[in-house]
Amino acid sequence: MNHGPDDLSSTGEFDSDELALRRMLQQAVQEMEPRDGTLEHLRKAVPARRARKRQALVGMAAAALFFGTAIPAVVHVSSANTSANTSNAGHTSQMQGGAGDGKHQDGGESTSGGSAGKGEDKGKGETKGEDKGKSAGASAGASSGADPSATSAASTPACTAAQLGTPTASTAAPDASGTVYGTFHITNGSTAACTVSGPGTVTASPQGAADGSKIVATRHASGDPATGLPDPSAEVSQLLLQPGSSYDVKFAWVPSETCPTTDPSTDPTPDPTSSPDASSSAGSSTGGDTGTSTQLMTADGSVLVTNTGEAGGPTMSTTVSNACAGTVYWTGVLTT
């Protein structure tokens, strides 16, 4: 074993004190032995430690390379976007592989050969397209799955007539065009939740002078004459109706014709035997004054609008007065 100059005395050998200390240290550790498995642990730990160091070095090199390439690109894009010529800026962003995603700052898509005006017009068109897509998506979502309890409703029994046994029906006064709006209001009067899977069926029955061949009942749709009804997007296809909760089915009566008028003082087939005797009519007037006046009266006609719930649901009706010909438009299930 070699020793440095400091370990030797001037004669080239250890001093007695140093030799004694050396022997003490050797005796202190001569009985120490490595623990079982130490060599195997070192054989595994040393390569793993070297692998971690290599991975760390590779990661640091990759990060340095990323920052070295990204910073010049960001600086170049920023300078291009602040240029007064937006057409050239859009061309530059395309030539750099989409560093600016082919967009100007105002959101318009740039083209290599187009002018700034065309890019702006195209951007406006894309904005309108995105808005249209959002509104269409919202409408579709509301009509097909607006009810957040749809998952629970699928596992809940359907509502029965006993649970919905106290529905109400009402109509409002006709508006300026003669359209009459009405509502069927149904409440879960039981102590258990149930599922409503649809509005049931709405029918219109003629009463009095109403003409059944001119009366139709149909589902409400966007753009039909019943503009006062909620948009179909507000309807739900399935509803979990908790105890005490309600839903509505609305309708509108849109007349197509007015009821006919009649003259009660005119009898088209008079009975000769019932002709009055002029000699016995002491109080009748003669000459031009006959003592009668012609009066036109509207025929008494109405339409009975009935809502029959889904299988096992209740039935309710309401009458639309002074109705002889027209169409009943009715909605689906509306939450209240």
Side-chain angles (χ1 to χ4, degrees):
M1 181 177 181
N2 296 326
H3 298 279
D6 295 338
D7 295 335
L8 302 177
S9 63
S10 60
T11 60
E13 296 183 357
F14 291 105
D15 295 336
S16 59
D17 294 339
E18 292 176 344
L19 291 173
L21 177 61
R22 183 182 180 86
R23 284 193 299 270
M24 290 176 61
L25 291 176
Q26 289 177 348
Q27 291 175 358
V29 299
Q30 67 181 356
E31 296 182 357
M32 296 179 62
E33 295 181 356
R35 188 173 54 185
D36 294 340
T38 301
L39 181 59
E40 185 67 21
H41 173 72
L42 292 175
R43 287 176 179 174
K44 295 179 180 180
V46 171
R49 182 179 179 183
R50 290 175 179 173
R52 288 194 295 270
K53 287 184 177 181
R54 285 195 299 270
Q55 292 175 356
L57 291 175
V58 172
M60 293 175 61
L65 180 62
F66 173 77
F67 284 109
T69 56
I71 292 176
V74 171
V75 172
H76 186 77
V77 171
S78 299
S79 61
N81 285 339
T82 55
S83 175
N85 191 338
T86 57
S87 176
N88 291 336
H91 180 69
T92 304
S93 64
Q94 279 198 341
M95 293 299 293
Q96 291 179 352
D101 292 337
K103 306 282 184 178
H104 291 296
Q105 289 182 344
D106 59 354
E109 183 178 357
S110 64
T111 58
S112 58
S115 63
K118 293 182 178 178
E120 293 177 356
D121 293 340
K122 189 172 182 180
K124 293 179 181 178
E126 288 182 354
T127 303
K128 293 180 180 178
E130 291 176 358
D131 294 340
K132 183 177 180 181
K134 291 179 181 179
S135 62
S139 176
S143 61
S144 60
D147 183 11
S149 61
T151 303
S152 301
S155 59
T156 306
C159 295
T160 63
Q163 290 177 294
L164 310 177
T166 57
T168 59
S170 61
T171 57
D175 62 12
S177 63
T179 301
V180 177
Y181 291 94
T183 302
F184 298 107
H185 186 72
I186 304 96
T187 303
N188 181 3
S190 68
T191 58
C194 60
T195 301
V196 178
S197 300
T201 304
V202 174
T203 58
S205 304
Q207 306 290 317
D211 188 351
S213 63
K214 297 181 179 180
I215 296 176
V216 181
T218 184
R219 280 296 298 268
H220 170 55
S222 297
D224 63 24
T227 56
L229 292 178
D231 190 82
S233 62
E235 302 173 3
V236 294
S237 58
Q238 196 173 52
L239 176 64
L240 178 62
L241 198 63
Q242 298 291 346
S245 299
S246 305
Y247 72 92
D248 289 341
V249 176
K250 295 182 179 293
F251 71 90
W253 163 257
V254 180
S256 58
E257 299 178 13
T258 59
C259 288
T261 56
T262 60
D263 181 4
S265 63
T266 303
D267 188 357
T269 57
D271 185 1
T273 60
S274 62
S275 300
D277 187 1
S279 61
S280 60
S281 301
S284 62
S285 61
T286 59
D289 185 7
T290 61
T292 61
S293 62
T294 302
Q295 296 180 353
L296 297 179
M297 298 181 61
T298 301
D300 187 11
S302 60
V303 174
L304 183 68
V305 183
T306 302
N307 176 215
T308 303
E310 296 289 331
T315 299
M316 68 214 84
S317 301
T318 184
T319 301
V320 179
S321 302
N322 192 25
C324 294
T327 302
V328 174
Y329 297 92
W330 50 286
T331 70
V333 176
L334 301 170
T335 56
T336 58

